[in-house]
Amino acid sequence: QIDELLDALGIAGPVDLVGLSMGGVITASYAAEHPARVRRLVLIDPMATAREIGPLRWPLLGEYLFRVAVLPGMAAGQASDFVHPERFPDWSERYRPQMRHFGFGRAILSTLREVATRDPLPAYRAVGALQRPVLLVWGEQDQIVPYAVSAAVREALGAHQFFAVADAGHLPHLERPQMVEPALPEFLRAGIEIVPLPFNQIPKAVADGQVAAGVVLVPFLTAVLSEYPDLVNLGDGIHA
């Protein structure tokens, strides 16, 4: 789907990708399979071990159990992502709108079956072999993907930058934005010339081949955009 998205947008690459949780192994796998299309990776509390999902694996029964036993409690269950859920009292309500989209549950179940049940470490080793720049961010109090397992991911990646975030759980970019958000543009801009490019000039610049468009897939993109209202040309791609 990442490949199809880039093709649909007319982006030849390379791009920078940010993957969170299961998105970490998804973006790492994509980078390993399409190295020419990826420049840098940011992995935030990425999945580190295979997960046993029991009868959810089974056709038909799995769909039924997921719909009646798992899906209804997903929004309320998001509180465990935080060390301080009291600071996000409306988080479950903010999570619910996406659940109304057709195919939401099917997509989550498919990801559990096809991604979460597989050992992610080979994907990280493959990324390490590519020698692409990687920033690994981890909340020290993560209850979903415990900080202790970060050691295995770090070993698999080889050379990389590591950023441990104190007093943060599975979503360190939300609990400690003052620490995490500045680290992303700093990492993505490293070693490249930055030239301001106003938003209204981007489509023509890409169409004329003056710049190669890139994307950052990151759940707090709106927060980054609020700080950087103009998109900037980062040499190999356009990023927020």
Side-chain angles (χ1 to χ4, degrees):
Q1 291 177 331
I2 295 176
D3 222 27
E4 292 173 358
L5 173 62
L6 296 179
D7 288 342
L9 295 174
I11 299 173
V15 300
D16 298 338
L17 299 177
V18 178
L20 167 67
S21 194
M22 283 194 292
V25 69
I26 291 172
T27 53
S29 297
Y30 179 80
E33 295 171 7
H34 305 274
R37 304 197 78 167
V38 178
R39 190 180 71 101
R40 291 174 179 247
L41 282 177
V42 178
L43 306 177
I44 303 176
D45 293 62
M47 175 184 149
T49 57
R51 179 176 173 182
E52 177 52 55
I53 63 172
L56 292 179
R57 283 177 172 268
W58 302 342
L60 300 180
L61 178 60
E63 278 78 4
Y64 174 76
L65 290 175
F66 185 82
R67 181 163 295 278
V68 301
V70 178
L71 193 59
M74 282 190 64
Q78 299 302 310
S80 61
D81 286 349
F82 300 104
V83 174
H84 301 285
E86 70 279 2
R87 298 176 182 173
F88 302 87
D90 63 339
W91 188 249
S92 62
E93 293 308 312
R94 292 168 60 185
Y95 186 88
R96 292 183 193 280
Q98 63 183 323
M99 298 177 66
R100 294 194 287 266
H101 290 295
F102 179 77
F104 172 84
R106 183 174 69 249
I108 296 295
L109 179 58
S110 175
T111 303
L112 288 173
R113 286 171 168 173
E114 303 300 327
V115 178
T117 57
R118 300 179 182 180
D119 181 7
L121 295 183
Y124 302 138
R125 293 190 190 101
V127 167
L130 295 175
Q131 298 184 332
R132 294 289 191 276
V134 177
L135 172 63
L136 180 62
V137 180
W138 218 296
E140 292 183 353
Q141 284 73 46
D142 190 345
Q143 299 179 50
I144 308 302
V145 187
Y147 182 79
V149 301
S150 66
V153 176
R154 297 192 65 186
E155 181 180 0
L157 286 172
H160 65 281
Q161 295 183 35
F162 184 63
F163 184 17
V165 185
D167 198 31
H170 193 53
L171 305 176
H173 54 287
L174 294 179
E175 291 204 275
R176 302 299 300 276
Q178 70 278 16
M179 295 179 61
V180 178
E181 289 182 13
L184 264 74
E186 180 180 350
F187 170 73
L188 296 174
R189 294 172 177 174
I192 48 184
E193 182 181 1
I194 301 174
V195 179
L197 184 64
F199 182 81
N200 60 3
Q201 294 183 18
I202 293 174
K204 187 176 187 303
V206 173
D208 293 345
Q210 297 173 1
V211 296
V215 294
V216 175
L217 303 179
V218 55
F220 55 99
L221 182 57
T222 53
V224 178
L225 283 172
S226 67
E227 185 174 355
Y228 302 95
D230 289 334
L231 297 183
V232 293
N233 176 13
L234 300 187
D236 289 333
I238 298 173
H239 310 269

